[in-house]
Amino acid sequence: MSLIQGNTGDWEVVIGLEVHAQVVSKAKLFSGASTQFGAEPNGQVSFVDAGFPGMLPVINRFCVEQAVRTGLGLKAQINLTSVFDRKNYFYPDLPCGYQISQYSQPIVGRGELLLDLPDGVIRRIGITRLHLEMDAGKSLHDQHPQKTYVDLNRSGVALMEIVSEPDLRSSEEAGAYMRKLRTILRYLGTCDGNMEEGSLRCDANISVRRPGAPFGTRCEIKNLNSIRFVQQAIDYEARRQIEVIEDGGTIDQETRLWDTGKGVTRTMRSKEEAHDYRYFPDPDLLPLDLDPAWVDQIKADLPELPDEKKDRFMHDYKLPAYDAGVLVQERPRADFFEAVAKGRDGKLSANWVMGDLFGALNKVGLDVEQSPVSATALGGLVDLIADNTISGRIAKEVFEEMFATGQPAADIVEAKGLKQVTDIGAIEAAIASVLDKNPDKVAEYHGGKEKLFGFFVGQVMKATQGKANPTMVNDLLKATLTGR
Ligand code: ADP
Ligand code: MG
């Protein structure tokens, strides 16, 4: 358990996250206007999105399907009947004066998300619900010294609000939750998970308590748009609450903002209650009834998700949980690994993909899709190691050349004469010459200085330009030394 030390003893932080995930859809939730990112301000606004009187919303079937897919991906209850409500509040970028959302009857109910923690522990985090709602527009405060502008392009874009149970117990767990949720959304293709563009935003609810005590009063930190900010805001806010309580104060339930510049949370407003919004069913929209056969079909068409892929990698390719976990984090990486590992040694393939390849890609800032070494080419290198054509050490050199030039491994090995020496005679000759040159060391070795064995191996490898098969060098060297 990760506890925070205060002046008067230990504290536990309790966190529940509300994540807004923008649905990958060409059109908005209730209109046919485009959702393309980066368009001219107010260039993608229909009369519905602008809140013109008398305009009627029409539900986008594709968005509903993405919400169902996401719910199924979170192993959640799909509610065959759900209801759209109006959530009433004033904001300059909300032209209707209400947001169409779902309140008491959301489209998706309880589900779960599994966290793979660094210590290998798997924690189950409850999902409370997922509902569909429309996004608001955007107020632009930095375009004019006296005026604020409004851009309604975002108005009406479909969002899935995914609410977790207060099951998270540290900022690290909250970060792991965000990463896992993003992975699942990307596997499903229902949200691009791009936090910089605002397609994934997080409100963090935070409270502190003595270990085992009832939950404390929470504060909600709004609109965190990176995983780093989520974690920093939680760490800061937990400390703040502990200090307030330890100084004899109490926590007021409120909505706060994360100030990225100063690294502090600040009061935004006191917490609004659900009844403040005067929720009521939107009279322009019928309850949403789903055909169970349609839901079953969506379920049958789901792709393999990260948890299942991880289990399969561990089973089929005999990978340790850690390797499998890293590889499945992004689907293109998992696919690349699988293309290398099919019909080859799984662990050896994983080592090359995760170690040398990811390392090299990372250094030059490329994704696996842009890798100068294809999966087939890397597979070719793994084959040369497996059939003893080259040693693992030489393979590193070959890999660097492949990465730089895009040439196949076999060509590089051929051109540079890097083939491993497995000829017993040649290796024995190299051993003999090394031992002949170092009679004093041989004597010391026999006198009990066994560490010198490593020195002899090094000399033999040097004499063969690193090409001798290391296992054979070891075995033959041992035999020769015993005989001398
Ligand atoms: P609201 O709709 O007012 O934001 P909810 O009951 O839907 O309230 O809860 C919102 C989020 O707050 C959920 O993610 C939930 O897990 C979390 N939460 C509820 N109680 C606590 C608490 N005591 N400490 C931390 N998080 C909490
Ligand atoms: Mg809330």
Side-chain angles (χ1 to χ4, degrees):
M1 201 195 282
S2 61
L3 296 175
I4 301 176
Q5 240 177 0
N7 293 326
T8 59
D10 287 342
W11 296 87
E12 185 178 38
V13 57
V14 172
I15 306 151
L17 299 181
E18 294 168 90
V19 174
H20 287 94
Q22 184 177 323
V23 176
V24 170
S25 162
K26 293 204 168 89
K28 296 182 181 180
L29 182 55
F30 298 113
S31 86
S34 166
T35 60
Q36 188 82 45
F37 182 79
E40 267 293 285
N42 297 308
Q44 301 174 162
V45 187
S46 75
F47 290 127
V48 176
D49 311 322
F52 274 42
M55 292 297 115
L56 289 175
V58 177
I59 185 91
N60 179 335
R61 182 187 172 99
F62 181 78
C63 293
V64 173
E65 183 179 337
Q66 303 320 303
V68 171
R69 278 165 62 77
T70 307
L72 292 169
L74 296 169
K75 314 275 186 276
Q77 166 78 34
I78 305 299
N79 296 324
L80 293 177
T81 300
S82 64
V83 173
F84 285 99
D85 296 293
R86 289 188 180 178
K87 181 180 184 181
N88 300 281
Y89 60 99
F90 171 79
Y91 223 77
D93 53 27
L94 188 75
C96 296
Y98 58 83
Q99 180 188 20
I100 305 177
S101 180
Q102 297 190 302
Y103 181 57
S104 55
Q105 285 179 263
I107 186 164
V108 175
R110 288 191 175 276
E112 65 172 38
L113 181 145
L114 301 181
L115 287 192
D116 316 76
L117 297 172
D119 51 7
V121 174
I122 294 184
R123 280 246 293 134
R124 182 195 164 280
I125 305 300
I127 301 288
T128 315
R129 58 190 269 149
L130 175 157
H131 67 252
L132 271 171
E133 63 185 24
M134 55 177 253
D135 207 346
K138 214 180 198 167
S139 297
L140 308 171
H141 304 290
D142 53 2
Q143 308 284 309
H144 189 280
Q146 278 94 38
K147 294 177 182 164
T148 287
Y149 292 124
V150 173
D151 176 7
L152 294 181
N153 281 352
R154 214 175 58 183
S155 170
V157 165
L159 299 177
M160 300 179 281
E161 178 168 335
I162 303 164
V163 182
S164 87
E165 289 289 291
D167 286 346
L168 298 158
R169 293 291 176 272
S170 67
S171 59
E172 290 77 24
E173 285 189 8
Y177 174 91
M178 289 301 292
R179 281 191 293 275
K180 185 64 177 280
L181 181 59
R182 187 173 59 184
T183 298
I184 293 172
L185 292 168
R186 285 181 172 162
Y187 266 64
L188 292 165
T190 55
C191 168
D192 66 26
N194 190 334
M195 295 191 83
E196 296 82 63
E197 289 181 7
S199 321
L200 199 63
R201 321 194 278 268
C202 175
D203 301 340
N205 293 269
I206 300 152
S207 64
V208 296
R209 65 173 177 181
R210 294 294 188 190
F215 285 157
T217 303
R218 69 187 150 110
C219 288
E220 180 173 354
I221 321 293
K222 279 278 177 200
N223 259 324
L224 298 159
N225 62 1
S226 85
I227 293 175
R228 194 160 53 92
F229 293 157
V230 171
Q231 296 195 192
Q232 287 174 348
I234 290 170
D235 287 334
Y236 175 87
E237 179 61 17
R239 275 267 152 228
R240 185 191 72 83
Q241 292 183 12
I242 291 168
E243 275 168 30
V244 169
I245 300 170
E246 288 192 331
D247 286 350
T250 50
I251 301 300
D252 295 325
Q253 190 170 337
E254 59 182 6
T255 303
R256 299 176 70 88
L257 277 181
W258 172 243
D259 183 328
T260 43
K262 296 203 177 73
V264 300
T265 64
R266 279 190 284 116
T267 302
M268 186 176 163
R269 56 178 187 248
S270 69
K271 172 72 183 168
E272 64 289 339
E273 301 286 342
H275 63 246
D276 295 327
Y277 289 115
R278 303 291 187 272
Y279 278 101
F280 66 90
D282 191 312
D284 291 339
L285 289 158
L286 291 167
L288 184 61
D289 282 322
L290 305 181
D291 177 357
W294 185 65
V295 175
D296 288 345
Q297 191 54 52
I298 296 173
K299 189 170 188 177
D301 292 343
L302 285 185
E304 181 182 42
L305 290 166
D307 292 327
E308 286 93 60
K309 206 184 266 300
K310 181 180 169 192
D311 287 346
R312 187 168 61 78
F313 279 8
M314 289 170 67
H315 181 266
D316 288 4
Y317 299 106
K318 309 280 176 285
L319 294 189
Y322 175 80
D323 294 29
V326 169
L327 288 167
V328 304
Q329 264 166 28
E330 287 171 45
R331 198 162 150 184
R333 290 181 165 213
D335 291 346
F336 191 101
F337 161 74
E338 225 175 349
V340 176
K342 261 235 152 73
R344 300 193 174 94
D345 181 328
K347 179 60 181 151
L348 182 61
S349 303
N351 288 348
W352 277 94
V353 172
M354 290 168 60
D356 298 80
L357 180 73
F358 287 178
L361 289 172
N362 215 5
K363 233 189 239 162
V364 293
L366 289 180
D367 285 334
V368 74
E369 289 105 316
Q370 305 154 313
S371 171
V373 177
S374 69
T376 317
L378 189 57
L381 179 67
V382 172
D383 287 340
L384 294 179
I385 304 164
D387 71 8
N388 275 325
T389 305
I390 55 174
S391 68
R393 232 200 51 191
I394 293 285
K396 302 238 173 225
E397 193 184 322
V398 175
F399 176 80
E400 271 180 32
E401 187 82 13
M402 291 169 76
F403 198 84
T405 65
Q407 270 187 300
D411 292 2
I412 296 168
V413 170
E414 193 61 51
K416 295 198 152 185
L418 294 174
K419 267 207 179 96
Q420 179 161 244
V421 177
T422 50
D423 170 5
I424 294 184
I427 296 176
E428 278 178 344
I431 289 175
S433 115
V434 166
L435 297 186
D436 287 346
K437 268 186 225 150
N438 296 285
D440 47 335
K441 294 240 167 48
V442 175
E444 281 179 55
Y445 174 80
H446 286 306
K449 215 171 162 193
E450 284 176 17
K451 270 198 290 188
L452 280 170
F453 190 77
F455 165 78
F456 296 130
V457 172
Q459 291 300 304
V460 175
M461 291 310 282
K462 208 169 148 195
T464 57
Q465 289 101 49
K467 289 186 288 189
N469 175 305
T471 319
M472 292 177 71
V473 171
N474 265 277
D475 294 349
L476 292 170
L477 190 58
K478 249 182 218 140
T480 316
L481 278 167
T482 322
R484 280 208 180 202

